[in-house]
Amino acid sequence: MNFPSAPIQEIKDELLAKQQVRLFVKREDLIHPTIKGNKWYKLKYNLEEAKKQGLNKLLTFGGAFSNHIYATASAGNLFGFQTIGIIRGEAHLPLNPILSHARDYGMELHYLDRTAYRQKTEERFINQLKKEFGDFYLIPEGGTNALAVKGTAEILENIDFSYQYVCCACGTGGTMAGLVRFASEKNDSIAEKNIEVLGFSVLKGVFLEKEVKKLLIEVYKNQTLPTVEDFNGDDYNTKWSIAHDYHFGGYAKTTSELLDFVSSFNQKYQIPIEPIYTGKLFYGIFDKVQKGYFARNSVILAIHSGGVYGEG
Ligand SMILES: *Cc1c(COP(=O)(O)O)cnc(C)c1O
C-alpha cells in the first residue's frame, strides 16, 4: 500500500527573500484524490494490521467535519474494508460534504451524544460496540496511535535536499510525533545534524507536548534503535517544539485576519489551504519568518497535510 511521493514546491516571496530563508512545501494534499494528506500515513499501518488480524471491518470516531472520517471511508472503499463511523453529536440533514462523502464511500454512520461519545476509549464501551457491530478493528479518533506514528514518519522519506526546519500543523500530535521520530533517526548521521521540528497547534491549551512524548515513548518501546535506551521523550537528539500562538481562539475558530491570509495565500501561490489546519500553519510560519525565528540561509520544509475538500 503506497502512493507516489508527494511533490515538493518552493514558495517564492519578498519576505522570505528579505529574511534569506527558503520555504518548500511537501504537497501531501496531492497524493490521492480521496485519501489526502497526513490521514493516509496514519491509516496505512493500521490497515495492514487489520488485515493481519483478519478483520475486514474498521470502526472509528470523529466529529462531523473530521478529515479522518473522510479518509477512513475512502481507504476502506479502496482497500476492501467495511467502515463504521461513530460521529459526535446529532445527525444534521442534509449531510455536510465530509459525511456525505463518507456515506457515498460506504461508511455506516452512527451518531452519539456528547456524553456517550466521551467513553470512546473505555474498554467496556468498546466491548458494547462489538456486541452491536460484530468484531472490528478499532482506529482511535483522529487516527492517532503508535502505528499511525510509524506511518507519519514516512512523510519525510526520500527527500533529496537538506533542510533545517520541518513545520506541520498539530491536532492530536500524531503527525508531529512521526516527523520527530524520522528527524531523530536522520540526526544520527553526521550530514544531517540540525533538523528542528516545529509544530503549530490548531487547538487552545498546552497539552500537545505531553501527547507527542507519550506517542514517541509508545513507538520506541518496541523498537531497538541505537539511541533510545533511556529515551524519555524529552531531549532526544532532535530539537522539537510546539507553537501555541496560532490557534486563533481554538479548534476550527477563526478570525477575519486568518481568513484574509488564507485567501491571499491561495491566490498568490496557487496552493489551496484552509483555515482549520494549514492556514494556521502557514500564518505561523510567515509570522516567525517575519520575526527572524529561522536562521539566515536556512531551508524550511512545510508539510501540507491536506484538508481541502471543498471541491467534493
Ligand atoms: C488531521 C489533520 C491535521 C492534524 O494531524 P495530527 O496528526 O492529528 O496532529 C493536520 N492537518 C490536516 C489537514 C488534518 O486533516
Side-chain angles (χ1 to χ4, degrees):
M1 295 185 202
N2 263 321
F3 299 132
S5 210
I8 296 175
Q9 197 176 334
E10 180 167 12
I11 292 184
K12 298 269 192 185
D13 183 276
E14 267 172 35
L15 175 69
L16 298 167
K18 180 171 151 251
Q19 302 290 49
Q20 294 172 30
V21 293
R22 295 179 76 184
L23 174 59
F24 291 84
V25 184
K26 189 148 191 274
R27 298 287 308 272
E28 298 298 347
D29 55 320
L30 298 176
I31 50 172
H32 186 274
T34 58
I35 318 178
K36 303 181 209 199
N38 61 345
K39 298 302 185 287
W40 161 244
Y41 293 87
K42 294 166 135 198
L43 283 170
K44 182 177 167 182
Y45 289 106
N46 279 295
L47 300 190
E48 268 186 33
E49 181 59 27
K51 281 233 158 91
K52 233 185 265 170
Q53 294 180 14
L55 296 170
N56 64 0
K57 200 184 285 176
L58 310 173
L59 181 142
T60 194
F61 297 91
F65 291 91
S66 161
N67 295 334
H68 164 66
I69 289 288
Y70 186 105
T72 305
S74 312
N77 182 276
L78 186 63
F79 296 108
F81 292 93
Q82 279 182 55
T83 52
I84 298 169
I86 310 285
I87 310 301
R88 184 182 62 236
E90 284 163 25
H92 292 284
L93 292 172
L95 294 179
N96 71 40
I98 301 255
L99 293 184
S100 72
H101 169 91
R103 185 205 47 203
D104 293 348
Y105 276 65
M107 183 175 264
E108 212 179 296
L109 299 173
H110 294 271
Y111 298 85
L112 265 189
D113 67 69
R114 278 154 203 277
T115 317
Y117 188 87
R118 268 185 228 117
Q119 312 170 320
K120 63 189 179 294
T121 55
E122 289 172 20
E123 202 177 320
R124 198 160 42 105
F125 180 65
I126 303 294
N127 287 336
Q128 222 172 302
L129 291 175
K130 286 196 172 156
K131 273 197 202 125
E132 192 172 338
F133 298 114
D135 219 5
F136 53 73
Y137 183 85
L138 177 73
I139 302 176
E141 183 183 42
T144 292
N145 57 15
L147 286 174
V149 173
K150 188 176 166 194
T152 54
E154 294 182 1
I155 291 174
L156 294 177
E157 275 179 3
N158 303 319
I159 295 174
D160 58 4
F161 58 89
S162 47
Y163 47 88
Q164 288 71 51
Y165 303 93
V166 182
C167 299
C168 71
C170 290
T172 64
T175 304
M176 174 88 184
L179 302 178
V180 172
R181 176 197 154 101
F182 182 92
S184 303
E185 288 169 27
K186 194 140 170 129
N187 276 350
D188 284 345
S189 78
I190 292 159
E192 295 284 359
K193 263 283 173 246
N194 300 307
I195 300 176
E196 175 177 341
V197 185
L198 249 176
F200 292 78
S201 177
V202 305
L203 312 159
K204 207 161 141 179
V206 184
F207 51 85
L208 272 169
E209 284 82 357
K210 226 169 79 192
E211 287 304 311
V212 171
K213 279 180 203 171
K214 222 168 69 188
L215 283 165
L216 286 170
I217 290 167
E218 215 179 311
V219 171
Y220 278 115
K221 109 188 142 198
N222 301 319
Q223 307 278 326
T224 41
L225 287 166
T227 38
V228 300
E229 269 86 18
D230 34 35
F231 174 62
N232 63 9
D234 233 341
D235 58 344
Y236 201 49
N237 53 355
T238 287
K239 190 171 166 199
W240 63 271
S241 62
I242 295 174
H244 293 281
D245 311 329
Y246 304 104
H247 58 66
F248 290 87
Y251 182 71
K253 296 276 196 310
T254 189
T255 65
S256 55
E257 193 189 359
L258 178 64
L259 293 175
D260 288 347
F261 174 83
V262 166
S263 71
S264 100
F265 186 100
N266 289 344
Q267 268 168 24
K268 262 206 244 169
Y269 312 119
Q270 301 296 313
I271 299 176
I273 58 172
E274 40 65 48
I276 299 177
Y277 291 106
T278 48
K280 292 178 183 179
L281 166 68
F282 283 103
Y283 186 101
I285 292 173
F286 274 86
D287 190 56
K288 281 185 176 290
V289 167
Q290 168 97 48
K291 290 177 174 153
Y293 179 89
F294 302 103
R296 280 179 194 262
N297 301 315
S298 63
V299 175
I300 305 162
L301 180 66
I303 306 303
H304 191 314
S305 40
V308 186
Y309 292 116
E311 319 81 47

